[in-house]
């Protein structure tokens, strides 16, 4: 039995009618299928070679050869650059042909290259931030119409909350600052703040509406600033790149207040450097107390010196002329002090009991240096704490108030000896504090003010006499 070969031709083994298939080389392209010949021709055209020279299977004169020659001639003619969506065989050579996409080409891609928008210029560099002087001026000049939230900077670490507000808002009176803190209108990280609270970097301080008065624009007098600068420089007892110690005169306030126009803090503005750094107060003295006053030249030095005061690393010695002679020549005074009028920043301090509202512990050591006719004494004080009017209140508490003290001198039937002026006889004589940069002690002494020097001469006191208070305890 013979086996028939498999059918050839069209479907179901039937032969196609004659003339249905075109001759070889003229077959219609019915799909995306690509033969080896088509790929070779396209690659040759891309290289610029003659496709016929590399076509060993096409004989000259065949329909395919004629079509290839026509295509090569058409490719040699210059053509306008087609749109991106129309590029096919004329596209530049690529390492790998792109994958066919089922999505139609978007109309946006068919735009000529010349229609592309020009490249946008790069934005200018951001300007430098405002200086600290500009920040302070902006804070002072801006009317506070609502609640503000301030962030504590790194160089404000360790500052008291009231000093922080005074530094941020120089136009705000210190009495107003104390009132804000006392009434609980200030919040630090959401908690009620106390006047002696210390701030740390990153803390959030909520400030109520301040109702600042609009500052009046006054012309700055160069001659006035020069006079203020010369006056401050005439008071310098010690100075270096980080700090200076002033000999504050009697009657000059340290900070501004109600009715106080001329004060040390305002005069220091005349020494503001080119970088906007204004010298800063580190501690305070009463208006009628003369002597050593420490000033920091930078905020970092101010923070370091303030920590020295808080940690009691600073040593202070005061001289005073008191009424009467103490029976105990050297002693210790330890009490609690509170204000008679809590709302008054300069109120008289009274001796209070432990647990009383606003009462703070105060500790002072004293020693008698000399005395005159059992009527007057030269006392030397070493305060351990730093309360308001501490030495004046303690001197009155032991029965020997300071001569010329308008608040605490209440001795009946007592008159000033002839030649002694009715001024507060209290001097911040000496201060020893670690240097904010090196840590080495800075020891500075202030001379007697004019009215005290007159009393010392009248009573025969020798200012160079040994001071026994240096042997007193320091804590």
């Amino acid at each position: 039995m013979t086996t028939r070969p498999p059918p050839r031709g069209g479907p179901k083994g039937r032969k196609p009618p004659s003339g249905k298939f075109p001759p070889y080389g003229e077959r219609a392209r019915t799909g995306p299928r690509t033969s080896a010949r088509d790929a070779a021709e396209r690659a040759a055209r891309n290289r610029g070679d003659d496709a016929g020279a590399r076509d060993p299977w096409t004989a000259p004169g065949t329909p395919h050869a004629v079509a290839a020659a026509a295509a090569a001639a058409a490719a040699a003619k210059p053509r306008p650059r087609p749109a991106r969506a129309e590029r096919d065989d004329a596209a530049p050579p690529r390492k790998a042909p792109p994958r066919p996409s089922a999505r139609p080409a978007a109309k946006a891609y068919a735009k000529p290259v010349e229609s592309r928008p020009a490249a946008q210029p790069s934005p200018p560099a951001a300007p430098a931030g405002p200086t600290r002087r500009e920040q302070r001026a902006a804070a002072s000049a801006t009317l506070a119409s609502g609640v503000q939230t301030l962030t504590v900077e790194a160089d404000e670490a360790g500052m008291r909350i009231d000093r922080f507000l005074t530094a941020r808002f120089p136009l705000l009176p210190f009495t107003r600052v104390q009132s804000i803190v006392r009434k609980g209108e200030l919040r630090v990280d959401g908690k009620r703040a106390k006047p002696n609270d210390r701030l740390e970097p990153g803390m959030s301080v909520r400030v109520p509406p301040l109702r600042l008065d609009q500052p009046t624009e006054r012309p700055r007098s160069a001659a006035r600033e020069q006079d203020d600068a010369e006056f401050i420089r005439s008071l310098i007892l010690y100075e270096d790149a980080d700090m200076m110690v002033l000999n504050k005169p009697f009657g000059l306030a340290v900070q501004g207040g109600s009715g106080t126009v001329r004060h040390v803090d305002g005069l220091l503005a005349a020494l503001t450097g080119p970088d906007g750094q204004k010298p800063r107060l580190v501690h305070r003295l009463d208006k009628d107390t003369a002597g050593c006053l420490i000033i920091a030249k930078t905020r970092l030095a101010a923070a370091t010196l303030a920590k020295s005061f808080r940690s009691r690393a600073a040593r202070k010695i005061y001289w005073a002329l008191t009424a009467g002679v103490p029976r105990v020549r050297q002693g210790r005074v330890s009490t609690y002090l509170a204000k008679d009028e809590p709302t008054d920043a300069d109120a008289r301090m009274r001796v209070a009991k432990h647990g009383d509202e606003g009462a703070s512990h105060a500790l002072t050591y004293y020693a008698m240096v000399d005395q005159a006719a059992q009527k007057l004494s030269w006392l030397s004080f070493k305060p351990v704490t730093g309360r308001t009017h501490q030495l004046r209140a303690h001197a009155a508490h032991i029965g020997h108030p300071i001569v010329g003290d308008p608040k605490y001198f209440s001795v009946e039937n007592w008159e000033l000896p002839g030649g002694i002026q009715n001024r507060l006889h209290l001097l911040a004589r000496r201060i020893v504090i670690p240097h904010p940069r090196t840590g080495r002690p800075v020891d500075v002494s202030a001379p007697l003010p004019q009215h005290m020097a007159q009393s010392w001469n009248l009573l025969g006191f020798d200012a160079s006499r040994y001071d026994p208070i240096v042997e007193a305890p320091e804590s």
Side-chain angles (χ1 to χ4, degrees):
M1 180 178 179
T2 59
T3 303
R4 296 180 61 182
R8 300 178 62 184
K12 297 183 181 181
R14 293 178 297 175
K15 292 183 179 181
S18 59
K20 294 294 183 181
F21 291 128
Y24 182 78
E26 298 180 4
R27 187 174 56 183
R29 306 292 178 92
T30 58
R33 227 169 5 183
T34 302
S35 64
R37 180 180 293 105
D38 296 332
E41 291 174 359
R42 192 159 46 247
R45 288 197 300 272
N46 292 339
R47 290 193 300 267
D49 297 342
D50 185 5
R54 295 178 176 269
D55 191 2
W57 54 80
T58 304
T62 62
H64 187 75
V66 175
K77 295 181 180 181
R79 291 186 302 172
R81 188 174 184 182
R84 180 176 299 179
E86 299 175 357
R87 296 175 193 171
D88 184 6
D89 297 341
R94 301 179 181 177
K95 294 183 179 180
R99 297 180 180 178
S101 175
R103 294 181 298 176
K107 294 183 179 180
Y109 293 136
K111 294 182 179 180
V113 177
E114 292 76 12
S115 64
R116 296 178 184 174
Q120 297 294 335
S122 58
T131 62
R132 291 198 176 275
R133 174 186 291 181
E134 294 172 349
Q135 292 176 356
R136 289 195 300 269
S140 300
T142 302
L143 292 176
S145 59
V147 177
Q148 303 179 62
T149 302
L150 308 177
T151 302
V152 181
E153 303 294 339
D155 54 1
E156 294 172 331
M159 292 183 67
R160 284 173 48 125
I161 186 64
D162 49 0
R163 306 300 179 194
F164 171 79
L165 286 184
T166 303
R168 288 294 187 99
F169 302 96
L171 294 183
L172 192 65
F174 191 69
T175 54
R176 172 63 177 151
V177 172
Q178 292 181 322
S179 175
I180 292 173
V181 179
R182 184 179 64 255
K183 293 179 180 179
E185 299 178 359
L186 205 67
R187 294 289 190 274
V188 178
D189 288 343
K191 299 180 181 179
R192 184 171 178 173
K194 298 180 180 179
N196 58 349
D197 285 350
R198 303 288 174 173
L199 298 176
E200 297 299 333
M203 284 185 171
S204 177
V205 182
R206 178 185 177 275
V207 183
L210 301 179
R211 299 184 297 276
L212 298 178
D213 295 332
Q214 181 67 31
T216 57
E217 293 293 336
R218 295 184 299 174
R220 299 177 62 87
S221 173
R224 180 64 179 272
E225 287 192 355
Q226 183 177 359
D227 292 343
D228 292 346
E230 291 178 356
F231 175 72
I232 287 293
R233 292 191 181 97
S234 68
L235 305 178
I236 294 177
L237 298 173
Y238 170 85
E239 183 181 20
D240 58 27
D242 301 293
M243 60 177 290
M244 57 184 174
V245 182
L246 302 181
N247 180 22
K248 189 192 85 64
F250 167 87
L252 179 62
V254 173
Q255 286 182 308
S258 178
T260 303
V261 178
R262 186 175 174 83
H263 47 84
V264 176
D265 193 27
L267 296 173
L268 290 175
L271 300 182
T272 302
D275 58 349
Q277 287 277 0
K278 172 192 169 185
R280 296 168 173 83
L281 297 171
V282 177
H283 64 124
R284 298 180 64 197
L285 294 177
D286 294 337
K287 179 179 179 180
D288 292 338
T289 302
C292 297
L293 180 67
I294 296 181
I295 306 295
K297 289 188 173 182
T298 64
R299 190 180 293 272
L300 180 60
T304 306
L305 292 171
K307 290 180 180 179
S308 298
F309 277 99
R310 293 198 306 272
S311 63
R312 300 177 183 176
R315 301 290 183 264
K316 297 172 288 183
I317 294 178
Y318 289 76
W319 284 0
L321 182 65
T322 63
V325 178
R327 287 180 295 179
V328 180
R329 298 178 62 91
Q330 189 166 341
R332 172 180 180 268
V333 184
S334 177
T335 66
Y336 286 86
L337 297 178
K339 288 184 178 180
D340 278 342
E341 298 292 338
T343 58
D344 187 0
D346 197 34
R348 186 179 186 273
M349 304 296 291
R350 61 178 176 84
V351 176
K353 296 181 180 179
H354 178 57
D356 289 354
E357 182 179 0
S360 301
H361 180 248
L363 177 61
T364 304
Y365 290 92
Y366 75 91
M368 189 179 71
V369 184
D370 205 349
Q371 58 92 18
Q374 296 295 317
K375 296 293 183 182
L376 297 171
S377 297
W378 168 12
L379 294 186
S380 182
F381 294 98
K382 179 186 287 186
V384 177
T385 57
R387 311 305 178 193
T388 302
H389 299 174
Q390 176 175 323
L391 299 183
R392 298 161 64 180
H394 277 177
H397 178 66
I398 63 176
H400 302 284
I402 300 175
V403 173
D405 192 339
K407 290 184 179 293
Y408 302 93
F409 195 95
S410 59
V411 178
E412 298 180 358
N413 301 323
W414 195 91
E415 294 182 0
L416 286 172
I420 295 180
Q421 300 183 42
N422 189 18
R423 292 186 172 186
L424 182 67
H425 284 60
L426 180 62
L427 168 69
R429 167 64 177 177
R430 183 180 177 187
I431 190 164
V432 181
I433 191 169
H435 191 273
R437 185 182 300 273
T438 64
R440 298 178 180 177
V442 176
D443 188 351
V444 183
S445 297
L448 290 168
Q450 183 178 0
H451 68 282
M452 291 183 66
Q454 180 179 341
S455 301
W456 256 239
N457 291 333
L458 180 65
L459 300 174
F461 294 157
D462 183 8
S464 62
R465 184 170 179 172
Y466 173 72
D467 188 354
I469 198 65
V470 296
E471 299 177 357
E474 299 178 347
S475 62

